Amino acid sequence: MSAIVWSAAGSLAAWLWLLLCQGWFWRTDVRLPPLRDPRVWPSVCVVVPARDEAAVLSSSLPSLLAQDYPGRAEVFLVDDGSTDGTGELAREFARRHGGLPLTVGSPGEPPAGWTGKLWAVRHGIGLARARDPEYLLLTDADIAHAPDSLRRLVAAAGAGGFDVVSQMARLRVESRWERLVVPAFVYFFAQLYPFRRVGREGSRTAAAAGGCVLLRADTAERARIPDAIRHAVIDDVALARAVKRGGGRVWLGLADRVDSVRPYPRLGDLWHMVSRSAYAQLRHSPVLLAGTVAGLALVYLVPPVAAVVGAATGSAVPAVLGAAAWLVMAGTYVPMLRYYRQPLGLAPLLPFTAFLYLLMTVDSAVQHYRGRGAAWKGRTYARPDAVPDEG
């Protein structure tokens, strides 16, 4: 058998395994269930790290201040050295909209070994501790919450006995590139960290979505969060791992009423979003990078190549194997496209999108080895891997 036949057969086998054995990652029905209200609502402090977020704050902060929460709740926005008036704008929103009490703090520049976002989170948690909350909601400055978001998160944590309840916010999909790249971003994340496995008791799979993380305050203290993960690039996953290592339980699902308002109108914006942390995901390992590139090529690129080459040369075997693998691939992508309300005609284009992600990952490694340092919202880090998740 030729190399292309073997490759197509291997790709089809990989897709059948992913379809049936990877935690049903392609399903989008892991959502917060409707729950009964607790008899006594626990106190919550909301921590919002923000650096130069004036452009999105008007679409997000009022939704936090307007939370319909029966218990005691307060918002702490940490203005992380902004130069665009983020802190004053937040105070103006609080004066204008009212709602939950708002405190604006500033942590100063992070010391060596800390990523900027986690240093801001640490400052916010420190402010919150004076209120002795039972829960902390860590949410990014670009996340808009429905009025019942906080009460649903708290009810889910209490009913399920979870130490962390996290929702993957629905990202914006308005521009052409957002429609092509964003649903695939969430699809690939779910493939790496199947949501069902994250929530399964005893499972070692741990992940969270940094834009919306409800965390028990005593769990944060036991797990030394954020100090224990102060250097983490992908801080949401690191947080979930720290909680699970300490015996805590984590739940992760897709959001229905939590949305990111941050725009990524150009391919370059999305490219930066992925490439700044892609190589860190691979622990800066050339071996893992080579394996990832080979795996992406086999799983995503071989099926359309085998189908087209087989059809063009009249070779039925590679054409059928490639087409079958391509069909399974597209079929697993359909639920995510439906979740994002996108045309199903984008499903067969997943190999092209995967190729873009392959290039982004390689570019992330190239930037790492060029030693240029990494920048995040105007702050440059000496360590190439010391970049926080954007929020």
Side-chain angles (χ1 to χ4, degrees):
M1 294 177 69
S2 66
I4 193 168
V5 171
W6 279 111
S7 297
S11 183
L12 178 58
W15 274 110
L16 292 174
W17 183 85
L18 287 169
L19 175 69
L20 301 173
C21 304
Q22 186 59 3
W24 306 106
F25 79 94
W26 45 272
R27 294 181 59 171
T28 56
D29 56 350
V30 182
R31 316 281 184 92
L32 283 181
L35 297 165
R36 294 181 180 176
D37 293 349
R39 284 184 294 178
V40 178
W41 288 93
S43 59
V44 183
C45 284
V46 182
V47 176
V48 186
R51 180 173 172 84
D52 292 334
E53 296 286 18
V56 298
L57 215 57
S58 61
S59 301
S60 59
L61 184 58
S63 74
L64 278 175
L65 299 177
Q67 283 299 296
D68 177 21
Y69 187 68
R72 179 167 58 88
E74 187 170 349
V75 179
F76 293 86
L77 185 138
V78 183
D79 182 8
D80 184 16
S82 299
T83 59
D84 65 350
T86 290
E88 184 51 42
L89 185 62
R91 294 185 185 96
E92 175 60 27
F93 284 140
R95 287 191 291 266
R96 188 188 314 163
H97 296 279
L100 298 185
L102 173 70
T103 299
V104 177
S106 181
E109 286 295 307
W114 279 84
T115 62
K117 178 180 173 181
L118 286 173
W119 179 245
V121 168
R122 185 181 193 272
H123 184 76
I125 291 177
L127 294 173
R129 283 204 177 106
R131 309 296 196 270
D132 194 24
E134 295 174 66
Y135 285 94
L136 299 163
L137 175 61
L138 311 181
T139 185
D140 289 343
D142 66 320
I143 302 299
H145 293 257
D148 62 347
S149 175
L150 182 56
R151 64 189 300 162
R152 294 187 69 213
L153 287 165
V154 171
F162 294 107
D163 297 274
V164 171
V165 173
S166 178
Q167 288 185 287
M168 175 71 73
R170 198 189 302 261
L171 305 178
R172 200 186 90 141
V173 283
E174 295 183 12
S175 72
R176 176 182 60 184
W177 287 110
E178 286 172 339
R179 293 187 180 100
L180 184 68
V181 174
V182 166
F185 176 83
V186 182
Y187 172 88
F188 293 142
F189 184 90
Q191 193 176 87
L192 286 172
Y193 307 103
F195 295 168
R196 279 177 171 75
R197 288 185 182 173
V198 171
R200 186 185 306 155
E201 195 166 4
S203 169
R204 297 178 60 184
T205 303
C212 179
V213 178
L214 184 76
L215 172 66
R216 290 185 186 270
D218 57 355
T219 299
E221 190 168 354
R222 285 197 306 271
R224 297 179 54 248
I225 293 171
D227 295 61
I229 59 171
R230 61 187 177 275
H231 52 76
V233 177
I234 308 172
D235 51 76
D236 42 14
V237 175
L239 182 151
R241 286 174 176 165
V243 169
K244 277 208 167 184
R245 279 198 302 268
R249 295 187 61 199
V250 177
W251 183 94
L252 171 63
L254 292 172
D256 290 312
R257 296 161 63 77
V258 178
D259 301 285
S260 172
V261 298
R262 189 181 305 282
Y264 294 98
R266 298 175 297 273
L267 177 60
D269 302 318
L270 291 158
W271 193 288
H272 175 67
M273 178 189 75
V274 176
S275 65
R276 64 188 168 82
S277 61
Y279 198 40
Q281 176 72 41
L282 303 177
R283 302 196 292 274
H284 302 114
S285 166
V287 175
L288 290 178
L289 175 65
T292 298
V293 170
L296 285 172
L298 174 67
V299 173
Y300 289 98
L301 305 185
V302 165
V305 170
V308 171
V309 170
T313 60
S315 302
V317 175
V320 170
L321 290 173
W326 198 355
L327 181 63
V328 175
M329 180 199 316
T332 63
Y333 193 36
V334 164
M336 189 61 69
L337 290 174
R338 284 180 173 157
Y339 170 74
Y340 272 99
R341 306 182 185 96
Q342 296 303 300
L344 302 188
L346 291 173
L349 299 181
L350 186 56
F352 173 71
T353 307
F355 180 63
L356 290 178
Y357 275 89
L358 185 155
L359 296 178
M360 294 174 194
T361 303
V362 171
D363 181 58
S364 180
V366 169
Q367 296 305 316
H368 175 83
Y369 289 114
R370 282 182 177 176
R372 292 179 178 175
W376 180 73
K377 294 194 176 183
R379 178 184 282 144
T380 302
Y381 296 83
R383 288 175 52 197
D385 60 327
V387 185
D389 285 351
E390 191 165 344

